């Protein structure tokens, strides 16, 4: 409800944004890249270490990862993103909502809209945004967002992964329901 999710089933409770970020990146690898339909991920050079290290891990599996530079204002804008997104090759764009070191807010709505126009999945790590700026998934067309509860006064060890209705990720843990 606090993020404007269409349904409570759109949010998967997990341990933290790092788990959610890894789930998205590795899930897209298994669902789109490994089968060969697309082979690139676009992220930024200023992401949280969990996104950077998951991206580097995927590079070791043969994925082409583009690490976008920030502009003179310390963010990635749509013009920069346009240079790196190729609808026939790009499986996922993963760009943070708010930077954990500078506090700068990225233009996530515009970035997500561009990706949607291109038919490319868009993920944002919103761990530093939720509770500080409005996060409304009815307004921002991101396919996946991740967050950590302790950033907005929930217990440490509780996080979430929002998956837009109609999108899916393969299970990374098998067994049970």
């Amino acid at each position: 409800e606090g993020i404007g999710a269409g349904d409570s089933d759109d949010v998967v409770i997990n341990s933290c944004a790092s788990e959610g970020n890894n789930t998205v990146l590795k899930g897209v690898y298994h669902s789109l890249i490994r089968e060969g339909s697309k082979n690139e991920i676009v992220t930024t050079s200023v992401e949280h270490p969990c996104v950077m290290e998951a991206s580097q891990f995927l590079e070791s599996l043969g994925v082409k990862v583009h690490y976008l530079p920030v502009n003179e204002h310390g963010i990635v804008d749509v013009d920069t993103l346009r240079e790196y997104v190729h609808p026939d090759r790009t499986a996922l764009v993963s760009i943070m909502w708010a930077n954990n070191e500078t506090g700068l807010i990225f233009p996530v709505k515009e970035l997500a809209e561009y990706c949607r126009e291109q038919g490319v999945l868009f993920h944002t790590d919103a761990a530093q945004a939720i509770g500080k700026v409005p996060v409304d998934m009815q307004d921002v067309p991101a396919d996946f967002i991740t967050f950590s509860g302790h950033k907005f006064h929930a217990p440490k060890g509780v996080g979430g992964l929002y998956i837009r209705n109609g999108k899916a990720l393969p299970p990374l843990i098998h067994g049970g329901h």
Side-chain angles (χ1 to χ4, degrees):
E1 189 172 305
I3 61 170
D7 188 283
S8 62
D9 288 344
D10 295 346
V11 178
V12 176
I13 303 302
N14 60 20
S15 66
C16 60
S18 294
E19 179 182 350
N21 293 336
N22 272 269
T23 299
V24 171
L25 288 156
K26 293 171 184 174
V28 167
Y29 169 78
H30 285 290
S31 63
L32 290 177
I33 297 173
R34 192 171 59 106
E35 70 180 33
S37 61
K38 296 186 178 192
N39 65 349
E40 294 180 358
I41 290 175
V42 175
T43 190
T44 77
S45 59
V46 296
E47 294 298 312
H48 186 274
C50 65
V51 171
M52 296 297 283
E53 291 179 26
S55 297
Q56 292 163 356
F57 170 73
L58 293 176
E59 282 182 302
S60 76
L61 299 177
V63 177
K64 173 67 177 157
V65 180
H66 299 281
Y67 299 94
L68 306 186
V70 295
N71 64 17
E72 66 276 6
H73 304 291
I75 61 169
V76 171
D77 57 30
V78 175
D79 291 334
T80 302
L81 184 61
R82 280 189 182 102
E83 296 175 34
Y84 292 89
V85 169
H86 303 283
D88 57 329
R89 298 190 315 254
T90 307
L92 176 71
V93 171
S94 179
I95 298 178
M96 63 177 42
W97 195 308
N99 186 279
N100 54 304
E101 293 183 12
T102 65
L104 294 171
I105 308 297
F106 285 63
V108 173
K109 181 178 180 180
E110 293 80 12
L111 297 167
E113 287 172 345
Y114 176 72
C115 288
R116 179 169 279 180
E117 290 167 10
Q118 300 303 307
V120 173
L121 294 171
F122 183 82
H123 162 253
T124 186
D125 177 347
Q128 297 296 333
I130 291 181
K132 298 170 186 84
V133 298
V135 174
D136 184 355
M137 301 320 298
Q138 300 305 309
D139 185 47
V140 176
D143 299 298
F144 311 104
I145 72 165
T146 48
F147 54 90
S148 287
H150 70 276
K151 299 292 185 176
F152 53 94
H153 308 293
K156 213 167 179 43
V158 177
L161 164 60
Y162 165 84
I163 303 172
R164 184 166 298 282
N165 190 7
K167 304 297 178 185
L169 292 170
L172 300 180
I173 299 172
H174 296 87
H177 295 287

